[in-house]
Amino acid sequence: SYVLTQPPSVSVAPGQTARITCGGNNIGSKSVHWYQQKPGQAPVLVVYDDSDRPSGIPERFSGSNSGNTATLTISRVEAGDEADYYCQVWDTSDHRLFGGGTKLTVL
Amino acid sequence: QVQLVQSGAEVKKPGASVKVSCKASGYTFTGYYMHWVRQAPGQGLEWLGWINPHSGGTNYAQKFQGRVTLTRDTSISTAYMELNRLTSDDTAVYYCARDHGISNAMDVWGQGTTVTVS
């Protein structure tokens, strides 16, 4: 079965750029979606179809996807961006699959 | 505004069943698939399945096949998730989430329902 691999944690200083990866076999051929989840809250969709943003999501959030790695990039990181981030793809038989999640720490 | 409101927390004994509701408002309930996702304490997100509110058709993750049932009542714009034969491993927050429609993402989430099996 398909597996999505995310680093458990990423740390970045305020104002810098955070990059969170999501690895999978030929993931570039799939559409990847990204969710932000803050403690005690439901997830929020921040990027869909690799690089599109829902309305209300800041332009600081962007995505890319090629080869075996999809990447969520957060520019000019703020303290409020500290959260868990999950990637998600469509899997065979119209199922959905999540990565294990990455905890973003703002130093 | 588009909103999903879930039922309250549940405490169940091992072997029992739980049924969680998800009431939709602010959009056409039958126009979007509804997903169910759970999150065990300190763990990641796990997809359980989806229901097509228009037809009632369902699709379940293999892990939960035979133990989970998704239903809906279109008259009150509410989706339901029932999980049987509960064990302590089913202790989690259960979310309903609307399918994006444009992509296969989930664009609106309920607030979550905590199910404790003890």
Side-chain angles (χ1 to χ4, degrees):
Chain A
S1 60
Y2 198 76
V3 175
L4 295 175
T5 301
Q6 297 184 237
S9 63
V10 168
S11 299
V12 64
Q16 299 304 302
T17 297
R19 294 179 178 85
I20 299 171
T21 59
C22 178
N25 184 32
N26 196 25
I27 196 173
S29 65
K30 296 178 177 288
S31 290
V32 179
H33 319 297
W34 291 93
Y35 302 87
Q36 175 193 70
Q37 185 181 34
K38 296 181 179 180
Q41 298 184 19
V44 172
L45 180 66
V46 293
V47 167
Y48 67 94
D49 284 351
D50 299 337
S51 58
D52 291 332
R53 280 185 312 277
S55 60
I57 301 301
E59 291 183 7
R60 300 185 299 104
F61 289 82
S62 62
S64 63
N65 185 17
S66 178
N68 293 320
T69 305
T71 303
L72 173 69
T73 301
I74 309 172
S75 305
R76 302 180 300 283
V77 166
E78 304 172 355
D81 298 331
E82 188 162 284
D84 294 327
Y85 290 84
Y86 295 89
C87 57
Q88 178 246 310
V89 299
W90 179 96
D91 199 10
T92 55
S93 302
D94 202 13
H95 290 186
R96 306 293 186 269
L97 179 67
F98 289 96
T102 298
K103 180 177 179 59
L104 176 66
T105 299
V106 181
L107 300 171
Chain B
Q1 73 283 21
V2 176
Q3 197 172 6
L4 301 175
V5 178
Q6 298 183 222
S7 49
E10 302 265 11
V11 178
K12 296 292 182 181
K13 299 285 189 187
S17 298
V18 69
K19 191 170 186 177
V20 178
S21 68
C22 170
K23 183 170 178 59
S25 61
Y27 72 98
T28 301
F29 177 65
T30 53
Y32 298 81
Y33 285 23
M34 190 73 78
H35 298 271
W36 288 85
V37 176
R38 78 177 187 180
Q39 186 171 38
Q43 302 301 308
L45 302 173
E46 183 174 33
W47 180 78
L48 278 73
W50 57 248
I51 183 168
N52 177 345
H54 176 70
S55 66
T58 55
N59 191 356
Y60 302 126
Q62 192 160 6
K63 175 178 178 179
F64 300 100
Q65 194 86 29
R67 207 161 65 90
V68 70
T69 303
L70 303 183
T71 57
R72 91 294 189 213
D73 184 339
T74 57
S75 68
I76 55 172
S77 299
T78 299
Y80 302 92
M81 185 283 301
E82 183 170 24
L83 189 62
N84 302 319
R85 304 191 299 279
L86 294 169
T87 72
S88 58
D89 290 341
D90 295 315
T91 294
V93 177
Y94 289 76
Y95 295 100
C96 58
R98 190 184 78 165
D99 191 271
H100 189 213
I102 300 173
S103 71
N104 52 60
M106 303 167 203
D107 66 340
V108 181
W109 292 65
Q111 83 277 18
T113 297
T114 299
V115 175
T116 302
V117 183
S118 176

